[in-house]
Amino acid sequence: MSAIFRHELRSHFHGITAYLFMAFILAFIGIYTSLYCFKAYVTNFEYALGAGCFIFFICIPILTMKAIAEERKQKTDQLLYSLPLSMTKVVLGKYLAMVVIFTIPMLIVSLYPLIIKNYGGVWLPEAYGTLLCFWLMGCAFIAVGMFMSSVTENQAIAAGFCFLVLIINYFLGTFANYVNTSARSSFYAVCVCIVLLAIVWWIVTKNELLAAIVGVVLMAANVGLFKFKSSLFEGFFPTLLEKLSLYERFYVTVDGVLDLTAFVFFITIGGVFLYLTVQSLEKRRYS
């Protein structure tokens, strides 16, 4: 795994990708830090992170689009399959290389609260708690982008898919305010989600039978639950949308509440998408 990690890290720095990614991160966070903390005289550094987190729309697709898509396009993925390594180690090696690239500008940003403290009262525990949450959210998005790169050999498509997923996640909290809160509406919405989940399962595993079984079992459980206790569906789907939004969980920390469940959620999302990436590669390995 260490060989994969070193190779990926070198390849990112041999091109422009890593430098472009770090430049975007530092530029946008620097701009918002200046606007909030020096121009508006607000000593809450976390507000700058909250305002600048949309930069993930641009940065994450740039960083992750060729993680695996480029390997597939050039057919060098066959070399990965021939290595005496599990696909889990290959994926983790690539992922950790991108996490390191993301961590470098974050270490520079971590100096900002100390600088601001010289000009006003900054509560460092809150500032660094928000910065840690920002870093974990970025790591989760890197895992999402890596999975998108694993399902196509076209870098532009991988970047487009990643951008679409991130922007949808960004607006989930807004969508939730316009969703009908009735039990029946939530039931139908969950039915649609189950169908989409079954489709994603089929895309990842290419196993129609297993995807169908997963879809049927979940649909039966959803129908049974609605039939016997429909009150559970009252307002369920809008609440679910808010809970699934990584940005909404991050904003809770920006508002001054150190929510440890948000940290667990970010780590869980990263783990799920890394698992899906491994399964995507395993499917191609044995196809």
Side-chain angles (χ1 to χ4, degrees):
M1 187 178 79
S2 60
I4 296 290
F5 168 76
R6 291 194 300 270
H7 174 268
E8 288 296 314
L9 199 58
R10 283 196 301 268
S11 66
H12 281 295
F13 282 105
H14 283 165
I16 195 175
T17 303
Y19 301 104
L20 193 62
F21 175 84
M22 292 189 291
F24 269 118
I25 291 286
L26 292 173
F28 276 86
I29 295 181
I31 289 170
Y32 279 104
T33 300
S34 175
L35 289 175
Y36 277 88
C37 301
F38 294 107
K39 189 173 182 179
Y41 302 106
V42 176
T43 58
N44 297 80
F45 172 68
E46 53 274 15
Y47 290 174
L49 293 176
C53 65
F54 77 92
I55 189 60
F56 286 136
F57 298 163
I58 304 171
C59 290
I60 299 300
I62 289 175
L63 180 64
T64 62
M65 64 182 181
K66 69 174 186 177
I68 298 173
E70 182 69 9
E71 302 270 10
R72 293 182 60 177
K73 182 179 179 180
Q74 297 182 358
K75 307 302 180 185
T76 54
D77 59 332
Q78 301 302 321
L79 297 176
L80 296 178
Y81 303 142
S82 65
L83 293 174
L85 293 173
S86 66
M87 285 298 101
T88 300
K89 291 183 178 180
V90 171
V91 169
L92 285 178
K94 288 177 170 288
Y95 174 72
L96 290 176
M98 291 186 286
V99 168
V100 167
I101 293 172
F102 176 50
T103 303
I104 292 173
M106 287 294 96
L107 291 176
I108 297 174
V109 170
S110 68
L111 300 176
Y112 293 1
L114 298 177
I115 297 173
I116 299 169
K117 190 174 177 61
N118 293 324
Y119 300 93
V122 177
W123 192 35
L124 293 180
E126 183 177 352
Y128 284 110
T130 306
L131 187 61
L132 175 60
C133 194
F134 185 88
W135 180 79
L136 287 174
M137 182 169 66
C139 291
F141 283 146
I142 289 173
V144 173
M146 193 171 182
F147 170 67
M148 296 303 162
S149 181
S150 73
V151 298
T152 178
E153 63 181 31
N154 188 307
Q155 293 184 41
I157 293 176
F161 281 165
C162 183
F163 173 80
L164 184 62
V165 170
L166 265 58
I167 201 167
I168 288 175
N169 191 269
Y170 181 81
F171 286 109
L172 277 181
T174 303
F175 293 157
N177 296 326
Y178 297 97
V179 174
N180 195 312
T181 60
S182 68
R184 188 170 296 275
S185 297
S186 293
F187 168 73
Y188 289 138
V190 172
C191 287
V192 172
C193 290
I194 291 173
V195 172
L196 293 175
L197 178 62
I199 293 173
V200 170
W201 193 285
W202 172 74
I203 291 173
V204 172
T205 64
K206 288 298 181 184
N207 190 324
E208 295 88 349
L209 179 60
L210 184 59
I213 291 174
V214 170
V216 169
V217 170
L218 291 178
M219 193 67 74
N222 186 45
V223 171
L225 192 60
F226 180 73
K227 181 177 180 181
F228 292 105
K229 200 165 185 179
S230 61
S231 60
L232 292 176
F233 287 82
E234 292 287 347
F236 171 75
F237 192 64
T239 302
L240 178 64
L241 290 179
E242 290 183 353
K243 295 296 184 182
L244 289 177
S245 173
L246 276 71
Y247 285 98
E248 291 298 322
R249 290 177 178 269
F250 173 65
Y251 290 146
V252 172
T253 306
V254 172
D255 290 336
V257 179
L258 189 61
D259 185 6
L260 295 181
T261 61
F263 294 3
V264 175
F265 183 71
F266 294 150
I267 294 171
T268 302
I269 291 295
V272 167
F273 277 95
L274 287 177
Y275 172 78
L276 291 176
T277 304
V278 171
Q279 294 306 307
S280 178
L281 290 180
E282 289 284 6
K283 175 205 70 177
R284 184 171 174 81
R285 183 179 195 176
Y286 296 107
S287 62

